[in-house]
């Protein structure tokens, strides 16, 4: 059995290695093809560094998100289904309580605050891309910055963008921290309720 687990795990890692590299190549080529179709005015309104940073984030982020979905989402979903079935077999009260917690609190809170989470994450990611885009543009045009004495101005603009990114990331992280706290607290209530049922049953 252990040999089978090792074999399946190694096979999965090997297949993912092949898929990941091809996926990154496909994403990069698709994004560059679409960007090169834009008009000249588009590039006047967007920093090249900002665009390259966003491309890099997408190339690295999409495969990571896909692997997270495969590794965690499906395994967690199977574990939850197994837990619900087991709880129902032990007691209808346990099964009902666990079902209410999963669909009412866990999934319910996820769906309820999905739009807020997406907005905060998009804002933080956009500001982060702007920071790294600004850095790339400053380095690319370093001679122009020096000739026109723009060092202090560029540093001031970069500092403002760093601070805006920091504020957005803290706002996003605080939101997720409160969301996880709510889930954890609701699960503690569920455990207390199950403990009370056990004592009452005895």
């Amino acid at each position: 059995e252990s040999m089978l687990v090792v074999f399946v795990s190694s096979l999965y890692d090997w297949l993912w290695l092949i898929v990941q590299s091809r996926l990154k190549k496909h994403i990069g080529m698709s994004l560059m093809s679409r960007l090169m179709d834009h008009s000249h005015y588009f590039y006047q309104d967007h920093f090249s560094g900002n665009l390259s940073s966003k491309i890099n984030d997408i190339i690295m982020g999409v495969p990571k998100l896909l692997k997270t979905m495969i590794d965690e989402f499906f395994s967690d979903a199977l574990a939850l289904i197994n837990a619900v079935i087991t709880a129902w077999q032990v007691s209808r009260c346990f099964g009902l309580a666990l079902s209410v917690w999963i669909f009412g609190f866990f999934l319910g809170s996820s769906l309820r605050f999905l739009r807020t989470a997406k907005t905060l994450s998009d804002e933080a990611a956009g500001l982060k891309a702007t920071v790294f885009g600004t850095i790339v543009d400053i380095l690319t045009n370093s001679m122009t910055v020096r000739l026109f004495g723009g060092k202090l101005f560029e540093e001031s603009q970069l500092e403002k963008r760093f601070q805006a990114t920091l504020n957005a990331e803290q706002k996003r992280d605080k939101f997720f921290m409160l969301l996880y706290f709510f889930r954890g607290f609701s699960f503690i209530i569920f455990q207390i309720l199950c403990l009370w049922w056990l004592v009452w049953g005895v």
Side-chain angles (χ1 to χ4, degrees):
E1 184 179 349
S2 59
M3 288 294 294
L4 180 61
V5 171
V6 171
F7 175 75
V8 172
S9 177
S10 300
L11 179 62
Y12 168 70
D13 291 337
W14 179 72
L15 290 173
W16 175 250
L17 189 66
I18 297 175
V19 171
Q20 177 183 228
S21 57
R22 293 183 179 181
L23 181 60
K24 288 181 178 179
K25 176 185 175 183
H26 175 72
I27 293 172
M29 293 302 298
S30 299
L31 290 174
M32 285 304 300
S33 176
R34 183 167 182 177
L35 275 177
M36 287 188 288
D37 288 337
H38 283 290
S39 65
H40 177 68
Y41 299 103
F42 174 81
Y43 293 97
Q44 289 180 331
D45 297 332
H46 296 81
F47 291 120
S48 58
N50 190 355
L51 295 174
S52 64
S53 177
K54 288 182 177 180
I55 290 175
N56 180 66
D57 288 343
I58 295 173
I59 290 175
M60 300 303 294
V62 170
K64 187 182 295 184
L65 178 63
L66 180 61
K67 195 169 191 303
T68 301
M69 288 285 291
I70 296 174
D71 290 351
E72 297 183 13
F73 178 78
F74 290 110
S75 61
D76 289 347
L78 289 174
L80 285 174
I81 293 173
N82 183 57
V84 171
I85 293 174
T86 303
W88 275 100
Q89 289 176 346
V90 172
S91 170
R92 290 184 179 181
C93 292
F94 293 156
L96 180 60
L98 183 58
S99 300
V100 169
W101 181 80
I102 291 174
F103 297 105
F105 291 94
F106 187 81
L107 294 179
S109 62
S110 299
L111 296 175
R112 171 66 178 81
F113 298 109
L114 182 63
R115 182 173 297 180
T116 303
K118 181 180 182 302
T119 300
L120 293 175
S121 299
D122 288 346
E123 182 181 356
L127 289 170
K128 180 181 178 182
T130 301
V131 167
F132 286 102
T134 302
I135 292 174
V136 172
D137 288 325
I138 290 174
L139 296 176
T140 303
N141 302 287
S142 58
M143 186 62 68
T144 304
V145 173
R146 290 182 180 180
L147 288 174
F148 290 94
K151 180 175 181 292
L152 294 178
F153 173 78
E154 295 296 342
E155 286 181 347
S156 174
Q157 293 297 109
L158 186 59
E159 196 279 332
K160 290 179 181 178
R161 286 167 183 164
F162 263 121
Q163 188 60 47
T165 303
L166 176 63
N167 294 338
E169 289 181 345
Q170 287 182 342
K171 185 177 180 180
R172 177 202 61 196
D173 294 342
K174 287 178 182 177
F175 170 79
F176 282 110
M177 183 181 68
L178 290 173
L179 182 60
Y180 296 150
F181 173 79
F182 170 75
R183 288 176 178 174
F185 185 74
S186 64
F187 189 70
I188 290 174
I189 295 176
F190 162 73
Q191 289 178 312
I192 293 173
L193 185 61
C194 289
L195 180 61
W196 180 81
W197 278 332
L198 284 172
V199 174
W200 180 76
V202 171

